[in-house]
Amino acid sequence: MRHAVLRGVDGGSFSASGLSYGVTCGVTCGLSWRRIGRAAKLSLVGSILLLGGAATQARPVAALPDAPAVNESGGARPVAAWNGFCAKHPAECIVDTSQPAIIALNPAIWRTLTSVNRRVNARIHPITDMAHWGVVDRWDFPDDGFGDCEDFQLLKRRMLVERGLPRRALRMTVVIDDIGEGHAVLMVRTDKGDLILDNKTTAILSAQRTGYTYVKREGQDGMAWVSLNGVASPVATANR
């Protein structure tokens, strides 16, 4: 009977009497190394996907087209309910001209805008002012969890100011919406164009992509409002 001698990976040798261990270890260790290799590959793929996800989060800012600002066309009167809101919350209506009127949009600000828009839209239950307060149009914070379009936007503006954005660049705006009714949105003035926060959608769109007709907004140089595009103003924004 021949006595085989096998050489180990460390340069040593062992006899055929250790063959069973050698074969078992060879198969098992081979499988283990293949599993380790597969795990390493999966880890690398996961890292790539994670980096890709981070890039995707930042991409909306880079991909956002530069859109021209909405044209101003002289002075305008605010809707009557705005005056009532300012009487109740005067600090919300004062324009601090030392603040920037335009925000430099970056990924952090984009995430803040997106987060606040989604959070408020999910948290507040839409209801008309008539059903809520028994009046046609009332602007106020929806602190009881209910409100219509302008109440959503006022809360978003307050939350954005609390997060460090300048109120002067956050302009309450009156539009004619896609069903021909008066509606209020929050216009965020940025170096990428005028962006719209709306309670009808969680998407933040450039003003031109909303399909709305822009009527007027808060002025950025004083408490007087400005007309947009020379469009006649609705009497109220009583739209959920």
Side-chain angles (χ1 to χ4, degrees), residues 35-103:
R35 288 170 181 163
I36 292 170
R38 188 180 300 113
K41 289 179 182 178
L42 290 173
S43 178
L44 178 61
V45 170
S47 298
I48 292 171
L49 290 174
L50 182 60
L51 291 173
T56 300
Q57 289 181 346
R59 191 174 299 133
V61 176
L64 194 68
D66 287 328
V70 178
N71 294 326
E72 296 182 11
S73 56
R77 292 182 180 179
V79 292
W82 170 257
N83 296 326
F85 172 77
C86 291
K88 187 175 181 180
H89 305 281
E92 295 288 331
C93 303
I94 295 173
V95 177
D96 182 354
T97 55
S98 68
Q99 292 184 339
I102 301 292
I103 296 172

Side-chain angles (χ1 to χ4, degrees), residues 153-154 156-158 160 169-173 184-188 195-198 218:
Q153 317 322 328
L154 289 168
K156 291 173 190 177
R157 189 175 73 157
R158 183 171 68 181
L160 291 171
L170 309 173
R171 302 289 82 188
M172 291 295 295
T173 303
V185 297
L186 182 62
M187 180 180 290
V188 181
L195 303 180
I196 302 302
L197 275 61
D198 193 357
E218 292 179 81

Side-chain angles (χ1 to χ4, degrees), residues 5-15 21-22 25:
V5 177
L6 304 178
R7 188 161 298 278
V9 293
D10 59 353
S13 61
F14 56 92
S15 68
Y21 169 81
C25 181

